[in-house]
Amino acid sequence: MKQRNSKILLIVLLFSFLLLGAGASIYVADRPTFQPHEEESSPSKSFTCEEAHEKAGSISVGGGFDPNKIVTHEGNKIVVNQLRLTFPDNTSCPIVNKIISSVDGYIVGFFPSPDTYLVELPVNSAVRLDQIRTILERDLRIKIIRYHTFFNPTL
């Protein structure tokens, strides 16, 4: 099982570098890989925008999702309780924190270039995730909103 988790983590990291560029830095909250949350309402390790920027530049070998949260939605495998939010450069942390908390979300990952936050939400269905995405799409301070897609055909 540990070897399978290592392979999956490697695939995710490689894809991230392909998507963001070889010089990109990735920070993911310090949670063991694929360990479900002890409490569904919040992760064991989340952080604020300020903490994300402070820790940017390091690569943490942590998990980012619960494998039980992967579902097929619109033909893609997604993490049903996470969205990736990209903000314009120089968006202040108080604005980022306010937007994310307005939908009861919390930051579990950060990609500094572009200014993208992996946000976990207290939802368990793609329908509810779509509702929150629609709400966030109305906020013009957010540049891009994407599902946290998972590209592993074995899951």
Side-chain angles (χ1 to χ4, degrees):
M1 182 69 165
K2 188 174 182 173
Q3 185 178 17
R4 181 172 178 252
N5 287 348
S6 296
K7 287 180 182 179
I8 292 170
L9 180 60
L10 179 62
I11 290 168
V12 169
L13 286 175
L14 288 174
F15 177 75
S16 296
F17 283 124
L18 289 173
L19 181 66
L20 299 173
S25 298
I26 299 171
Y27 180 83
V28 180
D30 293 52
R31 280 201 307 246
T33 306
F34 302 123
Q35 181 171 333
H37 303 310
E38 291 178 16
E39 293 182 30
E40 195 58 35
S41 61
S42 66
S44 59
K45 178 69 175 173
S46 62
F47 44 93
T48 64
C49 171
E50 293 84 359
E51 292 169 329
H53 284 272
E54 181 180 305
K55 296 179 180 191
S58 66
I59 297 176
S60 176
V61 183
F65 59 90
D66 174 352
N68 297 317
K69 299 286 184 181
I70 297 173
V71 299
T72 301
H73 179 61
E74 298 177 358
N76 298 305
K77 291 190 183 296
I78 68 166
V79 182
V80 76
N81 65 336
Q82 294 183 350
L83 290 172
R84 291 184 353 224
L85 306 180
T86 302
F87 289 86
D89 291 340
N90 302 319
T91 302
S92 71
C93 281
I95 289 173
V96 171
N97 291 331
K98 184 176 181 177
I99 291 169
I100 291 171
S101 67
S102 74
V103 290
D104 295 327
Y106 33 86
I107 299 169
V108 295
F110 176 64
F111 305 86
S113 180
D115 203 8
T116 301
Y117 299 84
L118 182 60
V119 176
E120 195 159 303
L121 300 152
V123 300
N124 290 311
S125 73
V127 170
R128 182 68 182 124
L129 187 65
D130 281 340
Q131 291 170 345
I132 291 175
R133 183 178 175 159
T134 299
I135 291 167
L136 291 170
E137 285 173 343
R138 295 182 195 133
D139 194 322
L140 300 178
R141 297 172 291 183
I142 303 172
K143 189 175 180 180
I144 302 169
I145 302 170
R146 291 194 174 117
Y147 297 112
H148 184 182
T149 52
F150 191 78
F151 297 95
N152 185 339
T154 63
L155 290 178

